[in-house]
Amino acid sequence: SSSDESIATVSDTGLVTGVAIGEATITVTTNSGGCTSQCKITVSPKEIESIEVTHQPDKTEYIEGEVFDSKGVVITGVFSDGSEDDVTAKCTFTPGVSLTTNDDKITDTYGGTDIETEIAVTVNEAVSATVGNDTELAAALKDDSINRIVVSEGAVLSSLSVDRNVIVDGTLDIVSMSVSKGVSLTKT
């Protein structure tokens, strides 16, 4: 039996289970009732020992100037009692600012601890084209080396059809837009 079942319980087979943080005394009595013994137990909080990326984020390739997007990532914590749990919401990702071509990893840190893991990323140099009309836009989108479209102030584009990842800077006034499946059109 337990002196405090709000701290620890004892099953009919003698299995002791911690319920909450604290101390309790467990009393054991033999089936014949002739012998009794007591043991003081302490239920301690489980502590995180490590974290690992168990599912990569949806996006790991960026154009310089973009910010890391953690969508899809799952960070699993391994605890002192051997249990594992999704701790993604308790992690911070750095750098949390615009990525540069010098960035090759995102550091994931659990809470306010020094427990970390990393996600490999690729950051490509931004190659820009400034467009002010449909002809310039079409030419820029045909050039596979261009990954950032800068729209001139006041430009009105009749259509935008994107079949690869591209960042668009400026005000978009577009009549029609088409983006291929799996392609990211990022508006800054």
Side-chain angles (χ1 to χ4, degrees), residues 86-165:
D86 180 350
V87 296
T88 309
K90 296 179 182 175
C91 290
T92 55
F93 302 96
T94 52
V97 296
S98 296
L99 298 170
T100 70
T101 55
N102 293 327
D103 295 315
D104 61 358
K105 67 182 179 235
I106 301 298
T107 302
D108 321 320
T109 306
Y110 178 79
T113 70
D114 60 356
I115 298 172
E116 298 178 342
T117 189
E118 295 175 347
I119 297 171
V121 295
T122 302
V123 182
N124 297 308
E125 181 180 356
V127 180
S128 300
T130 301
V131 300
N133 58 49
D134 290 333
T135 304
E136 291 172 352
L137 176 62
L141 289 172
K142 284 182 183 175
D143 184 341
D144 288 338
S145 68
I146 294 175
N147 55 24
R148 171 169 258 140
I149 306 293
V150 179
V151 179
S152 299
E153 187 173 332
V156 177
L157 307 173
S158 62
S159 67
L160 176 62
S161 179
V162 180
D163 62 359
R164 68 180 189 282
N165 291 345

Side-chain angles (χ1 to χ4, degrees), residues 29-35:
T29 305
T30 61
N31 286 337
S32 64
C35 294

